[in-house]
Every structure is written in C-alpha cells, then in structure tokens.
Amino acid sequence: LLIAGLRESLAGKLVIPVTGLAKLKTACQMVAIAVVLIAPACADQTGGNLARAGEALLWLAVALTWMTAIGYISGAWQQLTGRPSDRP
C-alpha cells in the first residue's frame, strides 16, 4: 500500500518506472497464489511439498516487495529533492 500511495500521490508530478525486480515480484506472487490454491487438491500426491513450495514463494515475494519498496522510495526521493539518497 505504501508504494501504491506513493505512486498515486506523485502521479503527474514525476515518473517512477517499474523495475525488472518489481515484475519478478509480481510473477512470484502470482505463481505462489496459484500453487497455494492448488496444493490442497494435490496434497495426497505431493505429501504437502507443494504447499511448502507455495509458502516459500510467498516469503520470497515478501522479500522482493521490501527490496522494490526501498528502490521506489529512494528513486522518488532523488527525483523530488534532486539529491541522491544514502542508499548504496
């Protein structure tokens, strides 16, 4: 929600391009949701491994979400202030 709010408040003022990492995050979320939804139907065949894989993908998506959020906030800060952020 933070990034959605940031994008909405800055709409028309500056452009924050979507990164490849953000696209990877979205793909990871979509695959994770699909895996989590089909895991119960396949539990007998997979022994619960599919559910664990779906959960792992969700945690990966969480990590990618934080990474992209930091990138977006840093980029917005640079564009708004004209100064580079302290981010390495």
Side-chain angles (χ1 to χ4, degrees):
L1 291 175
L2 173 69
I3 300 306
L6 177 66
R7 283 180 167 274
E8 185 67 29
S9 67
L10 297 176
K13 297 176 188 164
L14 64 111
V15 175
I16 302 174
V18 175
T19 64
L21 196 59
K23 290 180 181 188
L24 177 63
K25 174 203 58 122
T26 301
C28 187
Q29 288 173 327
M30 290 183 180
V31 171
I33 290 168
V35 170
V36 167
L37 288 174
I38 65 167
C42 302
D44 293 340
Q45 294 88 2
T46 65
N49 289 332
L50 197 57
R52 283 189 284 281
E55 185 177 346
L57 284 169
L58 285 173
W59 281 111
L60 176 60
V62 168
L64 292 171
T65 297
W66 280 106
M67 291 169 62
T68 57
I70 291 167
Y72 280 131
I73 292 168
S74 175
W77 179 258
Q78 283 180 297
Q79 288 191 22
L80 288 172
T81 63
R83 299 181 299 168
S85 67
D86 293 334
R87 188 174 158 240

